[in-house]
């Protein structure tokens, strides 16, 4: 259990069910004894204590754990199970594979398992699959340990904390940071089952994790006032709009820490608990992490805070590769640098701002390279804009035009919003079209799915 700390840590509570560290170790050992030797073990990753026990059991005996989103459809689920080579499923929902129960009780005389090698794959997490079938990301034990230790340093995270969140347990944010992080630091964990404002407000934590949608709802409901006694609020998985950042500070007294990462690299950049926090920026590289920006031709992009380029990272937290996809691994990981596919700017003082994805957020219009994130931030500062997503859509003369999709919070016209952006940004960055919609398509973590927006 070296990766996860020892049984002396504080208890965990998931969806109202509590367990001590010693009981967790014992029940996980029961699972470990029954799955030891399997090539991989799938887990129906519901927001329950059973999921935590199953994952810890796999980590104890060195069997790679494959968390399966509980809301995945049959095609996605079958792909994950087949591609991962999972030989059994821990917990309910056997999916046609042999099932190992979690509720079988505590271990009685189960063998002690030697600590697996640090480079052994601990988790196989599947990407969202926006450019094809989801890819299995193999994450090593060393990568997890290095990332959690760097985050503990950056956030001042100790065994004295009580971490609160209600995020899904099949992603890096909810599972690696939100469960394994608590286990490694020894902090208490309160997983609220669902990230509702009422549950967060009642949890009494010192450290809170959320995605922008969570923080927006905390502000809208007024529940953010109940977090004044907390030590740190952390936002991730998508950019926190500046108006939400500011409203959260006004209501809770906290300037949220933002951070950046990917499934393939874990968290690599973050603001610090004892440092500055800037709205719309994700901070500085964590300990051991190097970053750089490159243009499409691979040439360096200056760190001037304005010029966008693809963000590359070199980090001890990088993945072991995409399962069964050596070509994709070689394309993403070149000369020791992971090509994130994200567009960013880096200021002269090293602060990073994420503009968006190269595939959807870098707009090439009339010879200009325009970052969608900058325009979104400008639109969100208008009081009549609740949500927005900006993309490039085909234009016969410009190649692409800037098109904004807006969920309005009040009466506003297309022309008013176009002029508003043009008044604060360069004229070529103004939207040429504004489309009002009732809602933006989002995934389980609240990220806008821009590929689902109309492209014409």
């Amino acid at each position: 259990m070296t990766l996860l700390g020892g049984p002396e840590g504080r208890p965990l509570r998931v969806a109202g069910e509590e367990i001590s560290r010693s009981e967790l170790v014992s029940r996980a050992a029961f699972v470990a004894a029954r799955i030891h030797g399997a090539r991989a073990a799938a887990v129906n990753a519901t927001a329950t204590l059973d999921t935590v026990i199953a994952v810890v059991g796999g980590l104890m005996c060195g069997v790679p754990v494959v968390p399966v989103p509980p809301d995945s459809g049959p095609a996605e689920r079958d792909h994950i199970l087949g591609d991962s080579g999972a030989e059994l499923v821990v917990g309910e929902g056997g999916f046609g594979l042999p099932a190992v129960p979690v509720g079988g009780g505590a271990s009685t005389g189960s063998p002690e398992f030697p600590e697996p090698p640090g480079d052994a794959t601990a988790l196989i997490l599947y990407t969202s699959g926006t450019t094809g079938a989801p890819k299995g990301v193999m994450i090593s034990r060393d990568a997890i340990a290095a990332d959690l230790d760097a985050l503990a340093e950056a956030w001042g995270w100790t065994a004295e904390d009580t971490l609160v969140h209600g995020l899904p347990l099949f992603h890096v944010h909810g599972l690696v940071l939100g469960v394994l992080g608590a286990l490694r630091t020894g902090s208490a964990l309160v997983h609220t089952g669902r990230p509702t404002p009422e549950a967060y407000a009642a949890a009494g934590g010192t450290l809170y994790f959320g995605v922008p949608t969570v923080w927006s709802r905390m502000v809208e409901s007024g529940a953010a006032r109940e977090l004044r006694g907390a030590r740190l609020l952390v936002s991730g998985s998508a950019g926190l709009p500046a108006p939400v950042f500011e409203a959260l500070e006004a209501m809770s007294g906290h300037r949220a820490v933002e951070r950046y990462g990917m499934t393939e690299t874990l968290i690599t950049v973050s603001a610090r608990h004892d440092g500055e926090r800037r709205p719309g920026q994700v901070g500085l590289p964590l300990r051991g992490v190097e970053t750089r920006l490159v243009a499409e031709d691979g040439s360096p992009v200056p760190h001037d805070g304005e010029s966008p380029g693809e963000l590359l990272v070199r980090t001890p937290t990088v993945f072991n590769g995409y399962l069964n996809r050596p070509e994709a691994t070689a394309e993403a990981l070149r000369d020791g640098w992971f090509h994130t596919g994200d567009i960013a700017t880096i200021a002269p003082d090293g602060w990073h701002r994420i503009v968006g994805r190269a595939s959807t957020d870098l707009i090439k219009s009339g010879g200009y390279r325009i970052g969608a994130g900058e325009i979104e931030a400008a639109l969100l500062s208008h009081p009549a804009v609740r949500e927005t997503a900006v993309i490039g859509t085909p234009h016969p003369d410009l190649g692409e035009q800037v098109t904004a999709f807006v969920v309005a919070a009040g009466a506003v016209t297309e022309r008013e919003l176009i002029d508003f952006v043009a008044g604060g940004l360069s004229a070529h960055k103004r939207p040429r079209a504004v489309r009002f919609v009732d809602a933006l398509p989002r995934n389980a973590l609240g990220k806008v799915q821009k590929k689902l927006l109309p492209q014409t």
Side-chain angles (χ1 to χ4, degrees):
M1 276 262 312
T2 304
L3 171 64
L4 303 178
E8 67 279 359
R10 297 172 63 203
L12 293 79
R13 188 163 75 243
V14 180
E17 188 177 0
E18 186 167 304
I19 192 170
S20 68
R21 295 300 178 98
S22 58
E23 184 182 357
L24 171 62
V25 169
S26 182
R27 293 185 63 184
F30 176 89
V31 171
R34 285 151 182 80
I35 68 173
H36 182 242
R39 183 167 62 172
V43 175
N44 185 22
T46 56
T48 62
L49 198 55
D50 280 0
T51 295
V52 176
I53 295 168
V55 171
V56 172
L59 296 177
M60 287 178 71
C61 66
V63 172
V65 175
V66 185
V68 180
D71 61 348
S72 58
E76 179 185 3
R77 185 181 65 230
D78 291 347
H79 168 73
I80 291 173
L81 294 175
D83 186 70
S84 67
E87 296 178 339
L88 47 84
V89 173
V90 183
E92 297 180 357
F95 309 139
L97 294 175
V100 173
V102 173
S107 174
T108 55
S110 293
E112 289 289 329
F113 299 100
E115 181 72 10
D119 60 357
T121 297
L123 299 171
I124 304 174
L125 301 179
Y126 277 77
T127 62
S128 58
T130 56
T131 56
K135 297 189 291 289
V137 177
M138 299 183 289
I139 303 175
S140 73
R141 302 173 71 87
D142 279 349
I144 293 172
D147 202 56
L148 294 178
D149 290 348
L151 288 174
E153 176 187 272
W155 297 343
W157 188 359
T158 72
E160 300 304 311
D161 278 306
T162 296
L163 169 63
V164 176
H165 75 92
L167 303 171
L169 298 186
F170 47 88
H171 288 298
V172 166
H173 198 168
L175 178 59
V176 178
L177 276 60
V179 173
L180 304 188
L183 290 170
R184 186 162 179 84
T185 61
S187 70
L189 169 66
V190 176
H191 190 289
T192 58
R194 297 182 61 218
T196 64
E198 297 78 14
Y200 271 45
T206 61
L207 175 62
Y208 285 78
F209 291 170
V211 298
T213 302
V214 170
W215 299 125
S216 177
R217 291 173 180 172
M218 291 292 292
V219 168
E220 289 177 1
S221 68
R225 296 187 183 91
E226 304 302 319
L227 304 187
R228 285 189 167 270
R231 184 180 66 79
L232 199 68
L233 311 184
V234 179
S235 184
S237 296
L240 184 65
V244 178
F245 180 101
E246 293 160 0
L248 184 62
E249 180 185 11
M251 193 171 290
S252 72
H254 293 286
R255 292 174 68 82
V257 161
E258 294 193 67
R259 86 300 183 279
Y260 165 79
M262 298 183 69
T263 305
E264 292 90 337
T265 64
L266 304 181
I267 307 306
T268 52
V269 181
S270 179
R272 296 184 59 91
H273 74 102
D274 55 357
E276 186 180 3
R277 296 94 187 259
R278 302 177 186 175
Q281 300 189 46
V282 294
L284 302 164
L286 294 175
R287 182 185 65 206
V289 176
E290 301 173 73
T291 63
R292 56 187 291 211
L293 296 179
V294 298
E296 290 173 303
D297 61 2
S299 61
V301 170
H303 293 187
D304 57 12
E306 296 291 336
S307 303
E310 183 185 4
L311 181 65
L312 276 56
V313 299
R314 184 158 61 188
T315 170
T317 66
V318 74
F319 70 152
N320 281 347
Y322 295 114
L323 182 65
N324 305 322
R325 288 168 173 78
E327 296 84 3
T329 301
E331 175 64 22
L333 193 57
R334 292 173 246 160
D335 298 323
W337 290 89
F338 180 78
H339 291 242
T340 67
D342 284 328
I343 302 301
T345 63
I346 302 178
D349 62 1
W351 269 72
H352 290 53
R353 180 193 300 275
I354 305 301
V355 176
R357 293 294 293 171
S359 58
T360 56
D361 295 314
L362 184 61
I363 303 168
K364 301 172 186 176
S365 181
Y368 292 100
R369 299 168 76 245
I370 303 168
E374 184 179 19
I375 305 166
E376 290 166 352
L379 285 166
L380 285 168
S381 67
H382 192 288
V385 175
R386 183 185 304 277
E387 296 178 303
T388 185
V390 171
I391 63 173
T393 56
H395 188 277
D397 179 44
L398 300 173
E400 287 185 311
Q401 70 173 17
V402 177
T403 299
F405 292 82
V406 169
V407 179
V412 66
T413 67
E414 178 183 39
R415 174 48 53 188
E416 286 175 321
L417 291 181
I418 292 173
D419 291 344
F420 179 78
V421 173
L425 300 179
S426 302
H428 66 269
K429 296 180 180 179
R430 72 187 187 280
R432 288 182 173 267
V434 176
R435 301 179 183 176
F436 294 97
V437 295
D438 293 331
L440 299 174
R442 295 180 181 273
N443 66 11
L445 284 178
K447 291 184 181 180
V448 175
Q449 302 296 282
K450 290 190 175 183
K451 290 186 178 296
L452 300 180
L453 294 169
Q455 303 294 307
T456 58

